[in-house]
Amino acid sequence: MKNILSYYYNLHPEEISYKDNKYTFNYLDNKYVFEPVYRPLNDIYSLYEINRKMISKNILVHEIILNNEKNIITYVKEVPYILLEVFINPKACIKLSDICYINNGTIDFNCNKTLERFNWVKLWEIKNDFFESQVGEIGKKYPNLCNFINYYIGLAENAISYVRNVFKLDEIAIKCICHKRIKKEDSLYDLYHPLNFVCDFRIRDTSEYIKSVFFSGEDSFNLVEEFFANNYISYKEALLFYGRLLYPSCFFDLYDDIINKNLDENIIEKIIIKAEKYEEFLCNVHLFLSKIYGRYIPQLDWLIKKRF
């Protein structure tokens, strides 16, 4: 690896640490990470342009370093790698304010269409169709998953219907640089990593982070209050925020991990056992939004009928 770094980047570190498929090293008091690229290569050039814009605005994202051939990608045994210079403590845990810092600092950035994730309805419908097609196949191997998948597919259908109606509103919904997924256990390394970026509505990251915090067993309602107290969120954004909370991404993400990584299906219990509590959380968020906006906040009929 030292030869590769020397040849392609004129970097000559004395020591290189290897963990989780990443090569980490310091050179001339600068911190670097050399790691494989898992995003489609068509995304990489667009992400590089976004990276340059964010750096020009002094946002502390990791900087993508071109190799000596002025290429973003360096191939090592036919595997694409990228070199990043890191400016923050990569192990520090993220906070809501860190997320908002990136989102609010990149409002209305122009993005290539390959990075856009605005069409939630279409994306979620495709995902639901996929899950429904899998139920018969995986039922024998993962009976516990199949016992609950229909509830979460139904909740996703609710979210799709909710968001479809919100999109019809002729009001402001700010777009910015977001992340493919934000999780409670993520570090600042994950947050500032340019290969995690997508373009979407500003509330995407916060809603996903809050869901992850909830299912980790920590208080998430205080984060809802913090977010709306410290950011000007339009009415339409508030509804999109709520629609995104409705969508059960935490269940689906864990479902995918179980299937694709052959994990024990019983780990899904940490989501399932909190289902009723999450319904109560959704009702509390609905009440909160109704109070601060003083306008009608649509709610699911079946949630209204529940008494918590």
Side-chain angles (χ1 to χ4, degrees):
M1 186 51 62
K2 288 185 177 181
N3 290 337
I4 290 170
L5 294 172
S6 174
Y7 179 80
Y8 284 102
Y9 297 98
N10 293 327
L11 297 175
H12 312 283
E14 293 184 5
E15 296 183 2
I16 301 175
S17 174
Y18 180 73
K19 184 179 180 181
D20 298 329
N21 292 327
K22 299 180 181 68
Y23 295 92
T24 304
F25 60 94
N26 294 328
Y27 184 66
L28 298 180
D29 295 326
N30 298 321
K31 184 180 300 182
Y32 297 92
V33 178
F34 190 59
E35 63 177 77
V37 172
Y38 297 109
R39 288 286 289 266
L41 295 185
N42 288 340
D43 290 356
I44 300 304
Y45 302 100
S46 302
L47 290 167
Y48 177 73
E49 292 302 316
I50 292 297
N51 187 239
R52 300 312 305 167
K53 288 181 185 178
M54 295 176 78
I55 290 170
S56 71
K57 294 192 69 173
N58 295 318
I59 299 174
L60 291 176
V61 290
H62 315 326
E63 182 176 359
I64 298 173
I65 305 298
L66 299 180
N67 65 24
N68 291 336
E69 298 172 352
K70 304 301 180 184
N71 292 326
I72 303 168
I73 299 295
T74 298
Y75 285 90
V76 179
K77 296 181 180 179
E78 300 184 354
V79 176
Y81 277 77
I82 195 167
L83 180 67
L84 303 171
E85 185 173 357
V86 179
F87 303 99
I88 45 81
N89 177 2
K91 296 181 181 179
C93 295
I94 62 173
K95 303 186 297 293
L96 181 59
S97 57
D98 298 321
I99 298 170
C100 293
Y101 168 70
I102 285 186
N103 294 160
N104 291 330
T106 57
I107 289 173
D108 292 333
F109 265 36
N110 291 323
C111 292
N112 188 286
K113 288 188 178 298
T114 62
L115 303 181
E116 293 180 355
R117 299 294 187 275
F118 311 132
N119 196 345
W120 299 356
V121 170
K122 181 179 179 181
L123 294 172
W124 291 351
E125 285 180 333
I126 291 172
K127 195 81 171 175
N128 257 18
D129 289 343
F130 172 74
F131 287 131
E132 288 174 338
S133 70
Q134 274 200 323
V135 171
E137 294 179 32
I138 68 165
K140 293 181 180 179
K141 186 174 182 180
Y142 301 104
N144 202 27
L145 277 182
C146 286
N147 285 338
F148 296 98
I149 186 67
N150 287 331
Y151 168 83
Y152 291 98
I153 288 175
L155 192 55
E157 290 290 349
N158 287 168
I160 290 167
S161 178
Y162 194 96
V163 166
R164 182 184 285 115
N165 289 329
V166 176
F167 282 156
K168 295 175 184 177
L169 296 176
D170 187 21
E171 296 196 24
I172 294 173
I174 290 174
K175 297 173 182 176
C176 67
I177 301 303
C178 298
H179 297 74
K180 295 183 72 176
R181 185 72 81 237
I182 288 283
K183 296 180 180 179
K184 188 260 179 186
E185 63 270 19
D186 285 346
S187 66
L188 288 183
Y189 182 79
D190 304 306
L191 185 71
Y192 289 118
H193 200 306
L195 298 194
N196 290 335
F197 295 152
V198 295
C199 297
D200 204 345
F201 295 105
R202 175 172 53 159
I203 55 81
R204 174 193 179 107
D205 281 352
T206 299
S207 56
E208 292 299 333
Y209 177 67
I210 287 172
K211 279 187 284 188
S212 179
V213 169
F214 177 91
F215 286 106
S216 73
E218 296 185 17
D219 183 10
S220 53
F221 189 77
N222 68 324
L223 293 175
V224 176
E225 295 176 312
E226 178 185 341
F227 179 60
F228 283 88
N230 295 304
N231 298 273
Y232 176 76
I233 305 299
S234 72
Y235 174 70
K236 184 174 182 177
E237 285 181 297
L239 297 186
L240 288 174
F241 172 83
Y242 192 70
R244 189 109 196 164
L245 288 183
L246 289 172
Y247 186 75
S249 52
C250 291
F251 176 89
F252 290 146
D253 288 349
L254 197 53
Y255 174 100
D256 285 338
D257 285 344
I258 291 170
I259 301 299
N260 298 325
K261 300 177 182 178
N262 201 29
L263 303 179
D264 185 343
E265 68 166 336
N266 289 324
I267 64 174
I268 204 68
E269 292 288 341
K270 68 180 183 180
I271 302 294
I272 294 168
I273 62 174
K274 293 184 173 72
E276 188 169 338
K277 278 292 184 183
Y278 191 69
E279 292 173 4
E280 182 178 359
F281 170 73
L282 289 172
C283 288
N284 291 335
V285 173
H286 177 267
L287 181 61
F288 170 77
L289 295 178
S290 298
K291 287 180 178 178
I292 66 172
Y293 284 90
R295 296 177 63 177
Y296 172 65
I297 305 293
Q299 177 63 303
L300 305 181
D301 289 341
W302 63 271
L303 271 180
I304 294 175
K305 295 175 181 176
K306 286 212 170 191
R307 295 292 182 266
F308 294 101

